[in-house]
Amino acid sequence: MRDGTIVVAGASLAGLRGAEALRRGGFSGRLILVGDEPHLPYDRPPLSKHVLTGEVAAGATTLPGVGALDAEWRLGTPAAGLDRAGRSLLLADGTRLPFDRLLIATGARARPWPQADEARLAGVHTLRGRDDAAVLAAGLGARPGRVLILGAGFIGGEVASSIRALGLPVTVVDPEPAPLARALGSVLGGFMAGRMEASGVDLRPGTRVARLEGDEAGRVRRAHLAEGGTIEADLVVVALGAVRNTGWLAGSGLSADEGGLSCDGACRVLDEAGWPDDAIFAAGDVARFPHPLYGGRPVALEHWGNAVAQGAHAARAMLDGPDAAGAYAELPAFWSSQFGLNIKSLGLLEGADAMVIVQGDPGTGRFLAVYGHEGRTIAAVAVNAGRWLPAYEAPIREGAPFPPITGGADQPAPAPFPPGLPSMQAA
Ligand SMILES: Cc1cc2nc3c(=O)[nH]c(=O)nc-3n(C[C@H](O)[C@H](O)[C@H](O)COP(=O)(O)OP(=O)(O)OC[C@H]3O[C@@H](n4cnc5c(N)ncnc54)[C@H](O)[C@@H]3O)c2cc1C
């Protein structure tokens, strides 16, 4: 298909890169991008890093390539429903947009603090979009006496790092035994904990906040801990992960929930009975797809590189058909910068039962860890050692024997040990 109308729901990274791939692939028809935010597509990774430290303005994050796209933009107008039989996207302002093909790239949003009245207190923030970052940066600019971050995942860690860079006191609480423990395991989590504490973070692992308390003016003042006790705070960042933006698809008959919108290897969305819809595709954070490298297990990623690659893959499947596009098999890759560390990962760590440090040494702050599952290599994480990572791409793709053979015959092989990851059932 090279003409007709293609509508993209979600005008951010996956939507933009998908639209660009459509044009590159020769699509000459009408291209419409629908976004609920009033902004042209922008980049999110700087929001928790350089935007909070004041090095980059929130408004200076617009993605390159936006201007060159020959497209119609419907910004500030959410998609509110999908009429699959009528092949139309329904917008919140009542507009009906007929399409020949639809790309769903509505991403994810920050998981809110569960008590809505407490989440509304002044000084309680989440961070997902450019506007969130601008408001949070302004709040930090007022030099709050103590900042509290709920959640020690990637976003919580990056925000804590930025706040320390501003010289502000910050406490980080998380029910897990160490920061990033769910993502990287408690061994790397322990390394991160040392870094955070050395940077002046008041880290409280194994701690759960039960409720937030505000003052008479409606401004947050303290958090009450489930274990008893309080933490004073006049700015709180809720960093409890993300939920997929699929609520607008209710009643469409598609297989979707807060964990993602199910699709097949060619990015075609699946209906509730598991059948693919040939006209509707999904890409980016919103998509839950079977990953061939992990036994076809459905995965939903929150990775910048996945949004780019899957947007392009969906475009190919839209133009040339699912068989020509083949199964999407991009190796998951992620990076994070915090506390002077550049963390890069390849592959999925879920289910890893062993890890081994193959290069470098955590004591020096520069090392590379490889993860295995039942004797096969499944993932690798580099800390300040990104240049070593590409060598492990092929072993991960091939599921090479774990532990990998490193060093010479006269050197003892490094010994594997448990990474401290949650079991697959608990993950
Ligand atoms: C603060 C932050 C830092 C990050 N840092 C890193 C990093 O260092 N490394 C990394 O690999 N990844 C990072 N990520 C993740 C990365 O940014 C995401 O994986 C990427 O943005 C996903 O792109 P997407 O287009 O699929 O979804 P999104 O970027 O979430 O875009 C979806 C768009 O759709 C819009 N939308 C939602 N519902 C509707 C609707 N009903 N109608 C119309 N539009 C709708 C949303 O508002 C949004 O504009 C970070 C994310 C955040 C939030």
Side-chain angles (χ1 to χ4, degrees), residues 9-15 34-37 42-49 77-80 105-109 127-129 155 158 245 248 283-286 301-305 307 333-337:
S12 186
L13 185 61
V34 176
D36 63 352
E37 297 185 81
Y42 59 85
D43 217 12
R44 291 174 206 273
L47 300 181
S48 46
K49 307 172 184 83
T77 314
T106 47
R109 64 186 181 282
L127 177 57
R128 179 75 199 182
I155 301 288
E158 290 182 1
N245 290 318
W248 66 277
D285 282 13
V286 77
L301 303 173
E302 294 172 46
H303 298 173
W304 191 95
F334 182 86
W335 85 93
S336 174
S337 318

Side-chain angles (χ1 to χ4, degrees), residues 43 46-47 49-62 130 133-134 137:
D43 217 12
L47 300 181
K49 307 172 184 83
H50 308 296
V51 170
L52 291 190
T53 55
E55 293 156 85
V56 171
T61 50
T62 302
R130 173 189 273 188

